[in-house]
Amino acid sequence: MHLLRPILIAFGAATVCSLCAFWAVRSDPARLIFQVLFKRSETKCGCACCCGEGEGEMGSEAMDVEVKEGASMMEQLVPEITTHALSYLDYTSLCRLSMTNSAMRRAANDDGAWKALYNKDFTTEQFNVNPRNGWKAYYAATRAVINVNAEFYNIIRERSLPLMSRFWLNAEYVKCVHSSGELFSGYNAVMDSWSLAFNWGQGAGGGQAVGFQLQDVRARVLSDMAWLTFKAYPDVDAGPFHVTNVYEFHNGHWYMVHHHSSPILMDGAPNQFNFLG
């Protein structure tokens, strides 16, 4: 009984420590990774043993891998482990990591890390894509298009025709299909449709600002073309909608060239539409 008590105490302490460590990793993996990767080795081998020459069997002759003094943990990891560790970081953390030093920059610019981040933040549907300029550039382009698409719905909420007129490409081939089902072709016709929508006081929303929540956003970017599909949920008694938006890249900016919104059928019955959809 006297021998069993210390064993139980030790086992309990180890269990508590393990749970604490698991909770730390689960709650903030990015912070833990930064602490590990940026920690400098205080000894030649990075272990607790003595690294002096000729001091026992654990001396330098027994080391399989020579580790440089002062090297970071990042420089000691194999590439596969490094890529897996970086997969826990978000976009901002990965960019900050690339600005620390040359070793971190090489690791943070790894194509595999950016592909993993893309699949985590956007979609895994791009498994057959081989970006010409790498996954980092592809991630940045996709994020830019998604941000532009969010701005489209900010313009709708503000009911600003001047902003909407600059948002669309001024071309005769642009098209817009509102949730009413009517097709408008050409820049002038599309702008007239938005002018009517912004001044429409009898529909859902009563002429007041209408906000949208976007869900299931899927983006595909190919050179100077991009298209997004998603569901739009208005904050009024209308919708939701299936939406497809198409953009073209001109002179450093993404411009809308096609917008198609259609009501989602709810319980087998057609939904009431909002002309702003």
Side-chain angles (χ1 to χ4, degrees):
M1 185 67 180
H2 293 289
L3 294 176
L4 183 60
R5 181 178 300 176
I7 295 176
L8 292 176
I9 294 175
F11 177 78
T15 301
V16 172
C17 292
S18 300
L19 291 175
C20 291
F22 173 78
W23 181 256
V25 173
R26 181 180 179 182
S27 60
D28 197 353
R31 181 178 180 182
L32 181 62
I33 290 170
F34 267 111
Q35 291 175 349
V36 173
L37 295 183
F38 286 116
K39 183 179 180 181
R40 293 286 178 177
S41 301
E42 298 179 355
T43 62
K44 292 183 179 180
C45 68
C47 61
C49 66
C50 178
C51 292
E53 296 183 0
E55 294 190 22
E57 296 179 357
M58 296 300 293
S60 60
E61 295 180 356
M63 296 297 295
D64 294 329
V65 180
E66 180 181 356
V67 180
K68 296 180 180 180
E69 183 176 3
S72 66
M73 289 294 295
M74 175 70 74
E75 296 169 299
Q76 301 176 33
L77 298 176
V78 296
E80 292 78 8
I81 297 179
T82 301
T83 301
H84 179 73
L86 294 180
S87 67
Y88 288 96
L89 302 182
D90 57 16
Y91 169 74
T92 303
S93 300
L94 200 57
C95 289
R96 289 175 178 173
L97 182 65
S98 67
M99 295 185 292
T100 55
N101 56 48
S102 58
M104 300 301 175
R105 182 163 55 254
R106 287 193 300 270
N109 288 334
D110 178 76
D111 212 42
W114 283 98
K115 181 179 181 179
L117 183 62
Y118 184 97
N119 292 334
K120 181 173 66 174
D121 288 356
F122 301 130
T123 175
T124 59
E125 295 175 358
Q126 310 282 19
F127 63 91
N128 60 340
V129 172
N130 187 19
R132 179 185 306 175
N133 299 318
W135 280 95
K136 182 177 181 179
Y138 191 67
Y139 182 100
T142 304
R143 176 176 284 271
V145 170
I146 289 178
N147 290 341
V148 168
N149 192 66
E151 181 61 25
F152 173 64
Y153 285 93
N154 291 334
I155 295 174
I156 293 178
R157 186 183 67 249
E158 296 173 6
R159 293 177 176 260
S160 173
L161 189 60
L163 291 178
M164 186 64 78
S165 64
R166 293 192 292 270
F167 191 84
W168 283 77
L169 183 67
N170 192 342
E172 287 306 310
Y173 58 83
V174 300
K175 289 179 171 55
C176 180
V177 181
H178 292 283
S179 57
S180 60
E182 188 173 359
L183 168 66
F184 298 90
S185 298
Y187 179 80
N188 292 332
V190 170
M191 289 305 103
D192 289 342
S193 75
W194 285 110
S195 177
L196 178 62
F198 291 159
N199 291 284
W200 189 36
Q202 301 301 320
Q208 299 179 355
V210 177
F212 287 84
Q213 291 185 356
L214 310 184
Q215 297 183 9
D216 299 329
V217 179
R218 297 290 183 265
R220 184 70 176 264
V221 182
L222 295 177
S223 184
D224 59 351
M225 291 288 298
W227 61 93
L228 295 87
T229 59
F230 52 92
K231 298 176 183 177
Y233 293 83
D235 56 8
V236 296
D237 189 17
F241 309 100
H242 285 301
V243 182
T244 300
N245 287 339
V246 183
Y247 296 88
E248 284 188 14
F249 193 74
H250 292 273
N251 301 321
H253 298 282
W254 288 102
Y255 292 93
M256 178 173 280
V257 296
H258 186 91
H259 168 70
H260 191 132
S261 178
S262 57
I264 298 177
L265 298 180
M266 305 294 291
D267 298 328
N271 205 350
Q272 292 182 347
F273 61 82
N274 180 350
F275 192 59
L276 286 176

